[in-house]
Amino acid sequence: MAYNESQRGNVDKAIDHYSKIIKSHPEIAEPYRLRADLYAVKENYKSAAADIVKALELNSSAAFNSMIQFAVDAKEDLEANLKLAEKSHPGESFWKYYRAVVCEMNREFEEAIELYKKANLLSPTAQTCVRIASCFYAMLDYVNALKYAEEAVKQEPENITTLVYRCEYQYDMGNVDGAISDMSKIIEQDPSDSRNFNSRGWYKTSKRDYEGARMDYTKAIAMDPDNANAYVRRGSIYLIQGNKEAASNDLRKAIQLDSDINDPQDAAAYALHFLGLDDEAASYTKKVLHTKEQNGGLSAGDCNDAACLYSLINDKDKALYYLEQAIKKGYTRFYHFTRDTDLDNIRDEEYYQNLLESYWPKCIEDLCPYGPNEEIVDFEAPLFRGGPADDFSKWVNQNLKYPEKAKNNAIQGTIILEFWIETDGSVEDMKVIVDVDPELDAEALRVAMTSPKWTPAKKNGEVYRYHYYFPVIFRLQ
């Protein structure tokens, strides 16, 4: 009955039903978990946290997944209840583990690592080592990430999950041979997953083992004939090998498979590029980005894919803009940036060098042997009225006026401006590089061009002219 009430949207009635069940059977975990989910729907996170921890005490594995769902919204209440449970159950390692998970979900990685380590001392597990590795990876400490991934593999050498983590970290640190070796072990254990052949094919491509990569992509396609990305990758290999007919067949197949703009991927855009149709590739990419923006926004991976595609078609401005957006959104595979051939066309650009200098943490240079070729120098980003670029975004939004015609026609989207911040802080050479609508474009330019002077960027203590990309978002409420 409680379930039926919740399905009908009668949350309060459902909570009452579960409360009655709990009163009659306080030893059963599931009602606590289900009531916690309902409390979360009502944003009563204090009650949700108390119920979910009680369900965890009663050994509900499903409660762990529920805890993850609202670990951010219920952070303080979860921490308080988990600490109380830990005091009531001294010596049980999983309470420290649960507390660590909450910290990790809230991006408090140092605190999470300390709690995971304490849990691991009480009860060593491969899973805890994997979580420690993930936290170090999120902090861009790839050496320690790999160290704990190695420990996880030692504890459970046949566990595919631990091998996957080590494989990814090895690739990101530049040890492509190690990544190929790990992926081969994964394939031995699970030869039925086409994604594993796809990944190994990608690793082999970066090693210029084109024939080995082609064979892996062929296996991936045989297992999953609707895998558009595998067709693109094999098609690009055929081009390198000089087999134009086979390449054309694969690339056109990829376009056919990736033709639904309502569920867009990047395979068709890459295929169009490899077929020499760069204008069509650019147009398709623009549609993909617009659709994804409308359906929840662009992820870090989406922005990285856009940067790669725009670099391939030699639209450097858009490539650099989307690369920076990828980094800002959390795409931090910096070693990958230095090796990805898709980015070759922007590698010599000053703005690309500035991105690495700005975002690549200097601590990694001391930890890892695979840094960027260029020396990292002291760099200070330009400031708007003494604050970060976000302050410029707020200033622009405060001064924008939504054109009536565009509003009446429900036109919205993100315009990207390009400009230079001169050594005296003035803004010059502004232009639109990604347009949406003539009236919206003009309004974005009107406001941004009236920008007050910035504090100029500095490199090694000297001011210099800074190339800047800036998104202006028009969104109807």
Side-chain angles (χ1 to χ4, degrees):
M1 186 180 293
Y3 177 80
N4 292 335
E5 293 290 355
S6 65
Q7 290 297 300
R8 288 195 291 266
N10 298 327
V11 176
D12 289 329
K13 286 186 177 180
I15 288 174
D16 288 341
H17 283 304
Y18 284 126
S19 297
K20 292 175 182 177
I21 296 171
I22 289 168
K23 187 175 181 180
S24 301
H25 301 283
E27 75 285 0
I28 301 176
E30 191 66 358
Y32 289 100
R33 182 189 72 82
L34 294 170
R35 190 174 67 173
D37 289 343
L38 292 170
Y39 278 133
V41 170
K42 292 177 64 65
E43 298 185 0
N44 181 353
Y45 295 114
K46 183 175 183 178
S47 297
D51 271 2
I52 213 67
V53 172
K54 182 63 179 178
L56 289 169
E57 284 187 284
L58 294 170
N59 298 317
S60 168
S61 57
F64 178 76
N65 294 325
S66 294
M67 182 186 77
I68 290 174
Q69 294 301 315
F70 50 84
V72 175
D73 293 316
K75 174 180 177 292
E76 293 181 1
D77 293 311
L78 279 171
E79 285 182 339
N81 281 276
L82 287 169
K83 284 180 180 179
L84 288 174
E86 185 178 2
K87 287 182 180 179
S88 300
H89 305 277
E92 293 182 355
S93 63
F94 44 81
W95 296 110
K96 284 184 171 55
Y97 183 90
Y98 294 150
R99 288 174 57 200
V101 170
V102 173
C103 289
E104 183 181 356
M105 295 299 295
N106 284 277
R107 302 189 65 79
E108 296 173 352
F109 298 117
E110 291 182 358
E111 294 88 339
I113 288 169
E114 289 306 308
L115 286 166
Y116 280 134
K117 285 182 176 179
K118 290 176 181 177
N120 207 45
L121 285 173
L122 291 170
S123 178
T125 68
Q127 177 61 24
T128 305
C129 290
V130 164
R131 299 303 341 134
I132 296 172
S134 294
C135 289
F136 276 122
Y137 184 81
M139 295 168 65
L140 309 183
D141 184 346
Y142 296 160
V143 166
N144 275 312
L146 184 57
K147 171 185 172 183
Y148 279 93
E150 294 274 11
E151 182 60 33
V153 173
K154 285 181 183 177
Q155 292 193 34
E156 296 186 21
E158 303 303 315
N159 186 319
I160 289 180
T161 300
T162 61
L163 285 170
V164 167
Y165 275 94
R166 187 175 71 176
C167 178
E168 290 180 354
Y169 298 158
Q170 295 210 87
Y171 176 74
D172 282 345
M173 286 186 66
N175 184 6
V176 183
D177 287 332
I180 292 172
S181 175
D182 274 349
M183 189 53 68
S184 296
K185 293 175 183 176
I186 293 167
I187 288 172
E188 285 178 13
Q189 293 186 49
D190 185 9
S192 62
D193 191 335
S194 66
R195 294 172 299 179
N196 297 333
F197 288 98
N198 225 16
S199 295
R200 191 173 67 178
W202 175 251
Y203 298 152
K204 288 179 178 179
T205 300
S206 68
K207 288 286 292 183
R208 306 299 191 264
D209 178 9
Y210 297 125
E211 183 58 20
R214 185 193 66 77
M215 292 173 64
D216 275 343
Y217 293 141
T218 299
K219 290 177 181 176
I221 290 168
M223 285 185 274
D224 181 6
D226 295 331
N227 188 335
N229 282 311
Y231 280 104
V232 169
R233 291 178 176 180
R234 190 176 69 174
S236 67
I237 297 295
Y238 279 135
L239 282 177
I240 292 170
Q241 295 178 328
N243 190 341
K244 293 183 179 180
E245 182 179 355
S248 178
N249 290 337
D250 272 2
L251 297 171
R252 295 188 186 283
K253 180 65 174 179
I255 294 170
Q256 176 190 337
L257 291 170
D258 191 26
S259 59
D260 184 2
I261 195 63
N262 294 314
D263 183 25
Q265 306 300 321
D266 60 2
Y270 277 93
L272 289 165
H273 161 69
F274 288 126
L275 287 168
L277 303 172
D278 282 354
D279 289 343
E280 289 87 340
S283 177
Y284 187 87
T285 299
K286 183 177 179 180
K287 291 178 182 177
V288 168
L289 293 171
H290 178 73
T291 301
K292 289 186 175 182
E293 270 197 306
Q294 300 300 310
N295 296 335
L298 297 176
S299 69
D302 293 333
C303 291
N304 178 67
D305 290 339
C308 291
L309 192 282
Y310 280 125
S311 173
L312 283 171
I313 64 178
N314 213 27
D315 190 336
K316 296 180 181 180
D317 289 334
K318 290 189 180 73
L320 290 165
Y321 168 76
Y322 281 108
L323 182 63
E324 182 168 19
Q325 293 307 301
I327 296 171
K328 286 181 176 179
K329 289 175 180 286
Y331 196 96
T332 51
R333 300 175 68 181
F334 290 99
Y335 302 117
H336 174 71
F337 292 150
T338 66
R339 297 192 309 275
D340 190 347
T341 56
D342 289 352
L343 299 175
D344 283 351
N345 284 333
I346 62 172
R347 195 115 33 220
D348 293 333
E349 294 294 310
E350 182 181 7
Y351 198 84
Y352 173 85
Q353 306 299 333
N354 289 340
L355 282 178
L356 263 65
E357 291 167 6
S358 301
Y359 291 102
W360 193 310
K362 291 185 175 66
C363 65
I364 293 181
E365 286 294 283
D366 300 325
L367 290 168
C368 301
Y370 306 101
N373 294 328
E374 300 78 15
E375 181 182 356
I376 298 296
V377 297
D378 290 330
F379 173 80
E380 296 177 29
L383 301 175
F384 181 75
R385 291 180 168 177
D390 285 348
D391 289 351
F392 179 58
S393 181
K394 293 174 184 175
W395 178 84
V396 168
N397 288 333
Q398 289 170 356
N399 289 281
L400 279 179
K401 295 179 180 178
Y402 214 118
E404 285 299 320
K405 184 178 178 181
K407 185 186 294 185
N408 293 336
N409 290 318
I411 299 173
Q412 57 185 351
T414 300
I415 296 157
I416 301 171
L417 304 177
E418 174 192 17
F419 55 88
W420 291 84
I421 299 172
E422 302 290 347
T423 55
D424 66 353
S426 61
V427 172
E428 301 290 344
D429 299 334
M430 186 175 293
K431 63 181 180 180
V432 174
I433 64 168
V434 175
D435 58 55
V436 172
D437 170 80
E439 285 195 335
L440 297 184
D441 300 343
E443 176 62 9
L445 280 173
R446 180 192 70 78
V447 174
M449 289 177 70
T450 63
S451 168
K453 284 191 174 183
W454 294 56
T455 302
K458 289 185 179 180
K459 187 185 290 185
N460 290 332
E462 299 291 329
V463 297
Y464 77 104
R465 193 171 185 244
Y466 187 85
H467 199 183
Y468 199 80
Y469 298 92
F470 178 71
V472 180
I473 302 172
F474 284 90
R475 184 79 68 240
L476 293 168
Q477 300 300 319

mmCIF file of all heavy atoms in Angstrom, residues 36-52 69-78 81:
data_model
loop_
_atom_site.group_PDB
_atom_site.id
_atom_site.type_symbol
_atom_site.label_atom_id
_atom_site.label_comp_id
_atom_site.label_asym_id
_atom_site.label_seq_id
_atom_site.Cartn_x
_atom_site.Cartn_y
_atom_site.Cartn_z
ATOM 1 N N ALA A 36 13.266 6.864 3.839
ATOM 2 C CA ALA A 36 14.336 7.843 3.637
ATOM 3 C C ALA A 36 14.252 8.458 2.247
ATOM 4 O O ALA A 36 14.410 9.674 2.068
ATOM 5 C CB ALA A 36 15.694 7.176 3.830
ATOM 6 N N ASP A 37 14.002 7.612 1.247
ATOM 7 C CA ASP A 37 13.871 8.124 -0.125
ATOM 8 C C ASP A 37 12.716 9.119 -0.231
ATOM 9 O O ASP A 37 12.807 10.126 -0.940
ATOM 10 C CB ASP A 37 13.658 6.965 -1.096
ATOM 11 C CG ASP A 37 14.908 6.119 -1.279
ATOM 12 O OD1 ASP A 37 16.006 6.593 -0.920
ATOM 13 O OD2 ASP A 37 14.795 4.983 -1.781
ATOM 14 N N LEU A 38 11.633 8.841 0.477
ATOM 15 C CA LEU A 38 10.478 9.736 0.440
ATOM 16 C C LEU A 38 10.769 11.043 1.179
ATOM 17 O O LEU A 38 10.368 12.126 0.735
ATOM 18 C CB LEU A 38 9.260 9.044 1.046
ATOM 19 C CG LEU A 38 8.720 7.858 0.230
ATOM 20 C CD1 LEU A 38 7.679 7.089 1.035
ATOM 21 C CD2 LEU A 38 8.119 8.334 -1.083
ATOM 22 N N TYR A 39 11.475 10.947 2.302
ATOM 23 C CA TYR A 39 11.866 12.166 3.005
ATOM 24 C C TYR A 39 12.760 13.036 2.103
ATOM 25 O O TYR A 39 12.657 14.270 2.112
ATOM 26 C CB TYR A 39 12.618 11.824 4.291
ATOM 27 C CG TYR A 39 11.737 11.484 5.473
ATOM 28 C CD1 TYR A 39 12.005 10.364 6.259
ATOM 29 C CD2 TYR A 39 10.656 12.296 5.811
ATOM 30 C CE1 TYR A 39 11.201 10.055 7.362
ATOM 31 C CE2 TYR A 39 9.853 11.989 6.912
ATOM 32 C CZ TYR A 39 10.132 10.870 7.676
ATOM 33 O OH TYR A 39 9.334 10.566 8.760
ATOM 34 N N ALA A 40 13.607 12.378 1.322
ATOM 35 C CA ALA A 40 14.491 13.122 0.410
ATOM 36 C C ALA A 40 13.673 13.841 -0.660
ATOM 37 O O ALA A 40 14.005 14.962 -1.062
ATOM 38 C CB ALA A 40 15.500 12.179 -0.233
ATOM 39 N N VAL A 41 12.590 13.196 -1.124
ATOM 40 C CA VAL A 41 11.704 13.843 -2.099
ATOM 41 C C VAL A 41 11.135 15.129 -1.515
ATOM 42 O O VAL A 41 11.006 16.147 -2.208
ATOM 43 C CB VAL A 41 10.569 12.888 -2.512
ATOM 44 C CG1 VAL A 41 9.509 13.620 -3.330
ATOM 45 C CG2 VAL A 41 11.127 11.709 -3.308
ATOM 46 N N LYS A 42 10.814 15.121 -0.229
ATOM 47 C CA LYS A 42 10.271 16.293 0.445
ATOM 48 C C LYS A 42 11.371 17.249 0.932
ATOM 49 O O LYS A 42 11.078 18.260 1.571
ATOM 50 C CB LYS A 42 9.413 15.860 1.639
ATOM 51 C CG LYS A 42 8.125 15.139 1.255
ATOM 52 C CD LYS A 42 7.352 14.665 2.480
ATOM 53 C CE LYS A 42 6.871 15.844 3.334
ATOM 54 N NZ LYS A 42 5.888 16.696 2.640
ATOM 55 N N GLU A 43 12.634 16.884 0.629
ATOM 56 C CA GLU A 43 13.808 17.675 1.038
ATOM 57 C C GLU A 43 13.921 17.766 2.557
ATOM 58 O O GLU A 43 14.494 18.713 3.096
ATOM 59 C CB GLU A 43 13.789 19.067 0.404
ATOM 60 C CG GLU A 43 13.844 19.013 -1.118
ATOM 61 C CD GLU A 43 13.937 20.388 -1.742
ATOM 62 O OE1 GLU A 43 13.952 21.395 -1.008
ATOM 63 O OE2 GLU A 43 13.993 20.464 -2.993
ATOM 64 N N ASN A 44 13.389 16.763 3.250
ATOM 65 C CA ASN A 44 13.570 16.635 4.690
ATOM 66 C C ASN A 44 14.792 15.743 4.908
ATOM 67 O O ASN A 44 14.682 14.547 5.217
ATOM 68 C CB ASN A 44 12.317 16.022 5.327
ATOM 69 C CG ASN A 44 12.439 15.882 6.849
ATOM 70 O OD1 ASN A 44 13.499 16.128 7.425
ATOM 71 N ND2 ASN A 44 11.347 15.471 7.490
ATOM 72 N N TYR A 45 15.961 16.328 4.699
ATOM 73 C CA TYR A 45 17.187 15.525 4.682
ATOM 74 C C TYR A 45 17.609 15.067 6.080
ATOM 75 O O TYR A 45 18.302 14.057 6.217
ATOM 76 C CB TYR A 45 18.301 16.303 4.002
ATOM 77 C CG TYR A 45 18.015 16.546 2.536
ATOM 78 C CD1 TYR A 45 17.805 17.829 2.046
ATOM 79 C CD2 TYR A 45 17.931 15.478 1.651
ATOM 80 C CE1 TYR A 45 17.526 18.040 0.699
ATOM 81 C CE2 TYR A 45 17.648 15.676 0.307
ATOM 82 C CZ TYR A 45 17.446 16.966 -0.148
ATOM 83 O OH TYR A 45 17.167 17.165 -1.482
ATOM 84 N N LYS A 46 17.199 15.790 7.103
ATOM 85 C CA LYS A 46 17.530 15.357 8.456
ATOM 86 C C LYS A 46 16.896 14.002 8.752
ATOM 87 O O LYS A 46 17.556 13.076 9.250
ATOM 88 C CB LYS A 46 17.057 16.399 9.464
ATOM 89 C CG LYS A 46 17.435 16.072 10.899
ATOM 90 C CD LYS A 46 17.049 17.210 11.844
ATOM 91 C CE LYS A 46 17.491 16.895 13.272
ATOM 92 N NZ LYS A 46 17.170 18.011 14.203
ATOM 93 N N SER A 47 15.608 13.870 8.433
ATOM 94 C CA SER A 47 14.916 12.592 8.650
ATOM 95 C C SER A 47 15.420 11.520 7.693
ATOM 96 O O SER A 47 15.557 10.348 8.061
ATOM 97 C CB SER A 47 13.412 12.770 8.478
ATOM 98 O OG SER A 47 12.890 13.666 9.452
ATOM 99 N N ALA A 48 15.707 11.926 6.440
ATOM 100 C CA ALA A 48 16.222 10.970 5.454
ATOM 101 C C ALA A 48 17.549 10.382 5.919
ATOM 102 O O ALA A 48 17.769 9.160 5.825
ATOM 103 C CB ALA A 48 16.401 11.659 4.102
ATOM 104 N N ALA A 49 18.416 11.232 6.449
ATOM 105 C CA ALA A 49 19.729 10.757 6.905
ATOM 106 C C ALA A 49 19.583 9.789 8.068
ATOM 107 O O ALA A 49 20.254 8.743 8.114
ATOM 108 C CB ALA A 49 20.597 11.952 7.304
ATOM 109 N N ALA A 50 18.711 10.119 9.016
ATOM 110 C CA ALA A 50 18.511 9.230 10.172
ATOM 111 C C ALA A 50 17.997 7.861 9.729
ATOM 112 O O ALA A 50 18.469 6.814 10.211
ATOM 113 C CB ALA A 50 17.528 9.878 11.145
ATOM 114 N N ASP A 51 17.053 7.852 8.789
ATOM 115 C CA ASP A 51 16.505 6.579 8.310
ATOM 116 C C ASP A 51 17.520 5.766 7.527
ATOM 117 O O ASP A 51 17.604 4.538 7.667
ATOM 118 C CB ASP A 51 15.274 6.841 7.439
ATOM 119 C CG ASP A 51 13.986 6.888 8.252
ATOM 120 O OD1 ASP A 51 14.067 6.752 9.486
ATOM 121 O OD2 ASP A 51 12.913 7.056 7.648
ATOM 122 N N ILE A 52 18.304 6.425 6.689
ATOM 123 C CA ILE A 52 19.232 5.675 5.838
ATOM 124 C C ILE A 52 20.338 5.054 6.677
ATOM 125 O O ILE A 52 20.786 3.924 6.422
ATOM 126 C CB ILE A 52 19.796 6.570 4.711
ATOM 127 C CG1 ILE A 52 20.035 5.712 3.450
ATOM 128 C CG2 ILE A 52 21.102 7.249 5.086
ATOM 129 C CD1 ILE A 52 18.778 5.200 2.821
ATOM 130 N N GLN A 69 22.749 8.910 -3.325
ATOM 131 C CA GLN A 69 21.859 9.783 -4.077
ATOM 132 C C GLN A 69 21.701 11.148 -3.423
ATOM 133 O O GLN A 69 21.579 12.158 -4.109
ATOM 134 C CB GLN A 69 20.486 9.125 -4.251
ATOM 135 C CG GLN A 69 20.502 7.886 -5.121
ATOM 136 C CD GLN A 69 21.007 8.151 -6.525
ATOM 137 O OE1 GLN A 69 20.623 9.129 -7.167
ATOM 138 N NE2 GLN A 69 21.889 7.300 -7.003
ATOM 139 N N PHE A 70 21.667 11.185 -2.079
ATOM 140 C CA PHE A 70 21.510 12.498 -1.446
ATOM 141 C C PHE A 70 22.662 12.832 -0.494
ATOM 142 O O PHE A 70 22.504 13.558 0.483
ATOM 143 C CB PHE A 70 20.145 12.624 -0.736
ATOM 144 C CG PHE A 70 19.765 11.517 0.196
ATOM 145 C CD1 PHE A 70 20.206 11.493 1.502
ATOM 146 C CD2 PHE A 70 18.920 10.505 -0.221
ATOM 147 C CE1 PHE A 70 19.841 10.489 2.368
ATOM 148 C CE2 PHE A 70 18.530 9.484 0.639
ATOM 149 C CZ PHE A 70 18.996 9.483 1.944
ATOM 150 N N ALA A 71 23.854 12.317 -0.812
ATOM 151 C CA ALA A 71 25.036 12.566 0.024
ATOM 152 C C ALA A 71 25.421 14.044 0.054
ATOM 153 O O ALA A 71 25.978 14.522 1.044
ATOM 154 C CB ALA A 71 26.221 11.738 -0.475
ATOM 155 N N VAL A 72 25.113 14.764 -1.019
ATOM 156 C CA VAL A 72 25.454 16.192 -1.061
ATOM 157 C C VAL A 72 24.418 17.007 -0.293
ATOM 158 O O VAL A 72 24.753 17.816 0.577
ATOM 159 C CB VAL A 72 25.564 16.682 -2.519
ATOM 160 C CG1 VAL A 72 25.788 18.198 -2.565
ATOM 161 C CG2 VAL A 72 26.710 15.961 -3.236
ATOM 162 N N ASP A 73 23.150 16.782 -0.581
ATOM 163 C CA ASP A 73 22.084 17.564 0.064
ATOM 164 C C ASP A 73 21.991 17.286 1.561
ATOM 165 O O ASP A 73 21.643 18.179 2.343
ATOM 166 C CB ASP A 73 20.738 17.256 -0.595
ATOM 167 C CG ASP A 73 20.676 17.754 -2.028
ATOM 168 O OD1 ASP A 73 21.113 18.887 -2.278
ATOM 169 O OD2 ASP A 73 20.210 16.997 -2.901
ATOM 170 N N ALA A 74 22.288 16.069 1.958
ATOM 171 C CA ALA A 74 22.138 15.678 3.370
ATOM 172 C C ALA A 74 23.486 15.513 4.055
ATOM 173 O O ALA A 74 23.596 14.802 5.059
ATOM 174 C CB ALA A 74 21.337 14.388 3.472
ATOM 175 N N LYS A 75 24.503 16.180 3.556
ATOM 176 C CA LYS A 75 25.880 15.955 4.013
ATOM 177 C C LYS A 75 26.030 16.050 5.534
ATOM 178 O O LYS A 75 26.509 15.110 6.182
ATOM 179 C CB LYS A 75 26.816 16.956 3.337
ATOM 180 C CG LYS A 75 28.258 16.908 3.836
ATOM 181 C CD LYS A 75 29.106 17.930 3.109
ATOM 182 C CE LYS A 75 30.524 17.949 3.641
ATOM 183 N NZ LYS A 75 30.588 18.463 5.040
ATOM 184 N N GLU A 76 25.653 17.164 6.117
ATOM 185 C CA GLU A 76 25.881 17.361 7.547
ATOM 186 C C GLU A 76 25.083 16.367 8.384
ATOM 187 O O GLU A 76 25.598 15.818 9.373
ATOM 188 C CB GLU A 76 25.520 18.798 7.931
ATOM 189 C CG GLU A 76 26.458 19.838 7.326
ATOM 190 C CD GLU A 76 26.089 21.249 7.744
ATOM 191 O OE1 GLU A 76 25.114 21.405 8.519
ATOM 192 O OE2 GLU A 76 26.769 22.197 7.296
ATOM 193 N N ASP A 77 23.842 16.123 8.009
ATOM 194 C CA ASP A 77 23.024 15.176 8.764
ATOM 195 C C ASP A 77 23.546 13.750 8.632
ATOM 196 O O ASP A 77 23.530 12.978 9.605
ATOM 197 C CB ASP A 77 21.568 15.248 8.293
ATOM 198 C CG ASP A 77 20.919 16.582 8.640
ATOM 199 O OD1 ASP A 77 21.041 17.004 9.805
ATOM 200 O OD2 ASP A 77 20.322 17.204 7.751
ATOM 201 N N LEU A 78 24.013 13.381 7.441
ATOM 202 C CA LEU A 78 24.591 12.050 7.266
ATOM 203 C C LEU A 78 25.850 11.886 8.111
ATOM 204 O O LEU A 78 26.043 10.857 8.775
ATOM 205 C CB LEU A 78 24.917 11.809 5.784
ATOM 206 C CG LEU A 78 23.758 11.390 4.890
ATOM 207 C CD1 LEU A 78 24.181 11.399 3.429
ATOM 208 C CD2 LEU A 78 23.242 9.997 5.280
ATOM 209 N N ASN A 81 24.910 11.430 11.813
ATOM 210 C CA ASN A 81 24.318 10.119 12.105
ATOM 211 C C ASN A 81 25.326 8.986 11.935
ATOM 212 O O ASN A 81 25.311 8.011 12.699
ATOM 213 C CB ASN A 81 23.106 9.884 11.205
ATOM 214 C CG ASN A 81 21.864 10.609 11.693
ATOM 215 O OD1 ASN A 81 21.147 10.121 12.556
ATOM 216 N ND2 ASN A 81 21.614 11.790 11.145
#
